[in-house]
Each structure stands twice: as structure tokens, then as C-alpha cells.
Amino acid sequence: MKLAAVAPPATPEPTTRWRPHPLDLVAVVLAVVGAACALSGLLPRAETTATLHRILPLLLFLGTVIVLAELTAVAGVFNVLASRLAIASRGRWAALFLLCGGLATLTTLVLNLDTTAVLLTPVLLALARTLRVPAGPLAVTTVWLANTASLLLPVSNLTNLLAADRVGLAPLTYATRMALPQLVAVAVTMALLWFTWWRRDQPTGGRFVPPAAHVPADPVLHRTALAGCLLFIGGILAGVEIGLASTVALALVLVGFVIRSPATLRPGLVPVRLLLFVTGLFLVVQTLGRHGLDDLVGTLLGADGDALGALRAGGTGALLANALNNLPAYLAGESVLPGGDATRLLALLIGTNVGPLAAPWASLATLLWFERCRAARVTVPMTRFVLTSTLLAVTGTLGAVGALLLVS
């Protein structure tokens, strides 16, 4: 009698334990320490209330614009743009360089630098794989322009919102004041990108095979997300309060996803880590300012209000950003400078926007960019990155502050 073979017992699949990301831990620690500062009295109740009142509109904007950008990426808007740029370049490496730089600049200007770091980086890395070209130039393009192209509009960077509020400038007035510094910062960035990354790593003959056009999976969602982005941009240019503009634009896109792809809408879209990070950072920096940080920053900034004072403010912003992070660097400098000293405040802003490139932790956008590169298994040569980024931080800050002095 032949016995039937008995299948061996199935081996249970190993369970993957959830582990928090290092940035999650940083955000939680900052939030807890900030709360402790407020509850313990290290930060007086009046200052705590004023700080929270100031950042609530910023948190609304950050939360809504990041979700808007995430859904825009899901709808394929960035992928369509990237593929069309590659096709428009007609296989020419130099043309692709200009178009990718233009896309990164535009994304940073109208959707803020974190959007460029988080969402455009994987798109350009995927484009590099499709074209079979080195990923380094495309990767560095996103992180450099995420920082240096974030000067023109208040929405481009959280620090801009703070600066525009402090000096009392409306969005269009602020943009007029920062237009020349922004132009100079982008020009310096593009020049260094080409000579230190793109020209060195270009394919043979400076040519590549263009890809096929990307077709979005759901054209209706694609058009809806694109309309939401255009509505947001139009609202900003019309002078609508930024939190309201981003909320209305997001509401339009959410309606499209509720109808077409409700499964996409999940709690994880809300950038809780970023919101905790910003809230905790504000409270901690305010507390440190009361206990010695303001005195140190005041010494670095000096009392000069002329051109030398502006250059000193820009340099101090860049130095502190690379030593700590650009957001606390700006907050610390802002607390020391008088509100009427618009030129030095904007110079400080330039230093904290253009300067935080020499260290990986210098801005949240740079940290997020490293995370995206690691997730895509793309390794950027660290020595080369730090050296070239330091060169950009110095030359970009000097050039942009010089341009600011010309229009002041």
C-alpha cells in the first residue's frame, strides 16, 4: 500500500517589527522637550501662547501643502512632467540639465522646498534609471535647488513665512524685494551643478535615448490634481492667505480622490512628523533664546547695519544653519535683530535658505533628501557632495546677499 506524501508543515513567515525612523524620534523628542519647556515655566506662559499663536497658521499651511503635493505625485503630475522634460530635451544632456533644473526650481518656488526634496527626488532618480544615466547629477539637482530656489515667495520656505511676517511685507512686495537675490542664487547653483556634477558625469557624446511619454493611470485624477496646483498658485499670486489657498486647493483634489480613488486617502498622508518637528523646534529655540542663545547670536551678528552688517547676517545664518539647522538658526537670529532692520533680516534669511548645504542635517529638506536617496538605493559620494555643497553655500550666500544690497 502506497502512502500519500505528507507535505511538510508550512514555515511561518517572519514578522517584520515596526521600527521608527530616526527622524520620527527626533520629532517626538523635540515635541516632548518643547512641551516640557512650556509646562515647567522655562518658557513663560505668555511667550508660549504667542509662539503657538504664531505657528498655527504655518502648521495649517505645511500640513495641507504636503498632502496636496503627495496626492499630486500619486496622480502622476510629477512623472508626466519629468518624462516630458526628457522628451523635450531630445536626447541632449545639456538640455536635460536645464529642464530638470527648471522643474526643481519651479516646484520649490510654488510648492515649497520639502515638496521638491520628498517628491521630486524619487521622480528624477527613476528618470535616471530609465535613461540609464548616472543618478548623482539628478539627485544633487533636487537638493541644491530645494534650498537655493526657496527665496522668492513666502510659500517656498517656512523661514520665508516668518520673515515676511516679521518685516510686514505682502507676498508680491516680498517677491519683488527677493527677485534679484533669487535669480542670483539659482544662477550660481546652476553653474556649479553643471561644472561639478552634470558635465563630469555626462554620458558618451552628451546624448541619451529619450523615454516614452508617461501616461497617468487615471487622467481625471491627473487633471484634477493639476487644477488644484494651479488654483493654489493663483491664490498665492492674488494675495490670498497661504493657509486658505492651500486648504481650498487640497479640498478640490480630495474631492477627486474621494470619487476616483478613496483607498489612496489614509492617515499616513498627514505629515505628523513634520508638524511635531516644527512645533517642538519653535518652543525649544524660544526657550534657549531666553537662556543664552540670544546673547551668542547677537555677538555673531554684531551691531552694524550697513553692507558689512548684511554680509555678517548672511554668514551667521549660513554658519548656524550648518552647525544646528536652518530653522532654529533663523529663529535665533530673528529674535536678536530689530524688526525695522529689513535688510539684515532678509540677509539672515538668505543665509539660512541658501547656506544650509554643507552639512546633511542643515535643513529638513536635506535630511528628507538623504532619506529618499537611501530608499532608492542611490549613493551620492559624500566627500564630493560636502565639498561642492560647501562651495555653493559660500558663493550662493555671498552672491544673493550682494544682490539684496543692490535692491535695498
Side-chain angles (χ1 to χ4, degrees):
M1 182 177 177
K2 189 175 181 180
L3 297 176
V6 178
T11 303
E13 294 185 4
T15 57
T16 302
R17 295 181 61 185
W18 177 82
R19 294 183 179 179
H21 190 277
L23 290 180
D24 294 328
L25 297 176
V26 171
V28 171
V29 168
L30 273 176
V32 170
V33 173
C37 291
L39 294 175
S40 67
L42 286 173
L43 185 64
R45 179 176 299 180
E47 291 190 29
T48 300
T49 302
T51 299
L52 293 177
H53 179 75
R54 185 183 188 191
I55 67 174
L56 280 176
L58 305 181
L59 296 177
L60 173 64
F61 163 70
L62 282 176
T64 52
V65 81
I66 292 296
V67 176
L68 173 64
E70 286 278 3
L71 295 179
T72 299
V74 172
V77 173
F78 293 122
N79 287 298
V80 169
L81 284 173
S83 67
R84 289 183 179 177
L85 290 182
I87 294 169
S89 66
R90 297 183 179 180
R92 293 171 295 176
W93 186 245
L96 181 66
F97 158 70
L98 293 174
L99 292 172
C100 286
L103 177 59
T105 299
L106 181 64
T107 304
T108 301
L109 289 177
V110 300
L111 287 176
N112 97 8
L113 74 167
D114 295 323
T115 296
T116 300
V118 172
L119 300 177
L120 190 58
T121 297
V123 170
L124 292 190
L125 292 180
L127 180 62
R129 287 193 297 271
T130 300
L131 300 180
R132 297 182 180 180
V133 297
L138 282 80
V140 175
T141 296
T142 59
V143 70
W144 278 13
L145 287 167
N147 287 281
T148 64
S150 65
L151 287 172
L152 184 63
L153 298 176
V155 300
S156 306
N157 199 325
L158 177 58
T159 52
N160 298 2
L161 298 174
L162 300 172
D165 176 64
R166 179 67 183 274
V167 299
L169 296 178
L172 288 180
T173 307
Y174 171 89
T176 301
R177 187 79 180 269
M178 297 299 282
L180 185 59
Q182 180 64 93
L183 180 63
V184 170
V186 170
V188 172
T189 303
M190 292 294 285
L192 287 177
L193 271 173
W194 175 253
F195 287 107
T196 62
W197 288 92
W198 282 74
R199 189 177 72 166
R200 175 175 169 177
D201 292 347
Q202 65 181 322
T204 304
R207 308 284 301 185
F208 61 89
V209 179
H214 179 83
V215 179
D218 189 328
V220 174
L221 273 182
H222 175 264
R223 289 193 292 270
T224 303
L226 184 59
C229 291
L230 295 176
L231 179 64
F232 172 64
I233 297 168
I236 295 301
L237 295 178
V240 177
E241 196 276 324
I242 56 169
L244 177 60
S246 59
T247 301
V248 172
L250 175 60
L252 172 63
V253 177
L254 283 175
V255 169
F257 273 87
V258 167
I259 297 172
R260 306 287 297 187
S261 181
T264 303
L265 303 177
R266 62 190 191 282
L269 289 172
V270 180
V272 176
R273 176 174 68 195
L274 180 60
L275 301 180
L276 288 175
F277 180 89
V278 170
T279 304
L281 197 58
F282 267 76
L283 294 173
V284 170
V285 170
Q286 288 288 99
T287 305
L288 292 176
R290 289 183 57 86
H291 295 84
L293 181 60
D294 285 355
D295 295 335
L296 172 62
V297 175
T299 301
L300 291 173
L301 289 171
D304 298 325
D306 53 9
L308 179 60
L311 290 170
R312 192 167 176 174
T316 298
L319 178 65
L320 290 177
N322 286 289
L324 302 171
N325 179 272
N326 68 328
L327 186 53
Y330 174 78
L331 292 173
E334 182 199 68
S335 66
V336 174
L337 291 173
D341 196 347
T343 298
R344 281 206 295 167
L345 277 168
L346 293 178
L348 172 72
L349 177 69
I350 289 171
T352 57
N353 282 19
V354 178
L357 282 166
W361 56 80
S363 74
L364 181 60
T366 307
L367 283 170
L368 294 172
W369 173 78
F370 271 106
E371 177 188 350
R372 291 296 185 174
C373 289
R374 186 167 52 249
R377 297 182 180 179
V378 170
T379 301
V380 177
M382 185 55 61
T383 301
R384 181 181 173 192
F385 175 78
V386 170
L387 290 176
T388 55
S389 295
T390 301
L391 177 62
L392 173 59
V394 173
T395 56
T397 299
L398 287 174
V401 171
L404 175 68
L405 291 172
L406 290 177
V407 297
S408 298

